């Protein structure tokens, strides 16, 4: 079994296709970036994303902030 620190584990930013209720890794990597904060989100901790905007969020607060930004534009 490979762990996060194994030399064969993917590193760097992953490319992900966001689906309804799931996501698919297009290019292997260890994380994606939050579209609001820029924070690296490990793939095994990714819980929040927008299918329509094709972007990930680090927290519910980041989701709310994005909704507010879009409402004001």
């Amino acid at each position: 079994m490979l762990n996060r620190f194994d030399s064969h584990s993917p590193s760097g930013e992953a490319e992900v296709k966001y689906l309804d209720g799931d996501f698919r890794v297009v290019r292997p990597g260890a994380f994606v970036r939050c579209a609001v904060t820029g924070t690296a989100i490990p793939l095994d901790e990714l819980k929040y994303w927008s299918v329509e905007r094709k972007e990930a969020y680090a927290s519910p607060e980041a989701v709310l902030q994005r909704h507010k930004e879009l409402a004001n534009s």
Side-chain angles (χ1 to χ4, degrees):
M1 181 164 98
L2 299 177
N3 65 41
R4 190 177 295 200
F5 303 105
D6 188 49
S7 62
H8 300 295
S9 294
S11 62
E13 191 165 355
E15 183 179 338
V16 174
K17 180 174 183 177
Y18 300 103
L19 307 170
D20 288 327
D22 201 5
F23 60 88
R24 182 173 50 114
V25 177
V26 177
R27 187 183 69 230
F31 64 91
V32 292
R33 295 231 175 251
C34 175
V36 175
T37 65
T39 304
I41 309 164
L43 289 180
D44 60 347
E45 296 178 20
L46 179 59
K47 298 176 186 165
Y48 311 103
W49 62 83
S50 169
V51 175
E52 294 82 21
R53 290 187 284 282
K54 300 176 176 74
E55 55 189 25
Y57 308 108
S59 67
E61 293 80 15
V63 175
L64 183 58
Q65 183 176 339
R66 177 61 92 206
H67 282 293
K68 288 179 180 178
E69 290 170 2
L70 294 172
N72 292 332
S73 59

